[in-house]
Amino acid sequence: MTNRHIEKAAQLAPIVERVHGGHHPELTRVREITQALHQSDNTANIPELFQELRTVTDNYAIPNDVCEAFGAMYQALERSDKQQAAA
């Protein structure tokens, strides 16, 4: 699955995980799912991946103790999720 939102999230995910992973261990799974979406040609499993993302991120809720990149990553993922749901 390639779109600009997933592209952006895939670029930010490893950085955000490195910076905030100590306080937000869910970021490892967020990075893994984001990479899977970014590399996925299998559209069949995309809805399940987004469902897991919604669960892991508490529906893309941005914590108060994070940087702009963290927020930008969650916003990009949420936009991509809404885009694929509308497709």
Side-chain angles (χ1 to χ4, degrees), residues 4 6-7 12 15 17 41 45 47 50 62 65 78 83:
R4 64 188 179 93
I6 286 295
E7 187 80 33
L12 291 172
I15 299 163
E17 180 189 16
D41 292 331
N45 70 341
F50 276 114
I62 300 167
D65 63 339
E78 184 173 22
Q83 198 173 54

Side-chain angles (χ1 to χ4, degrees), residues 1-9 37-38 50 76 79-81 83-84:
M1 173 181 194
T2 304
N3 69 43
R4 64 188 179 93
H5 300 302
I6 286 295
E7 187 80 33
K8 179 178 184 176
L37 287 167
H38 186 244
F50 276 114
R79 286 185 184 116
S80 184
D81 188 354
Q83 198 173 54
Q84 77 82 31

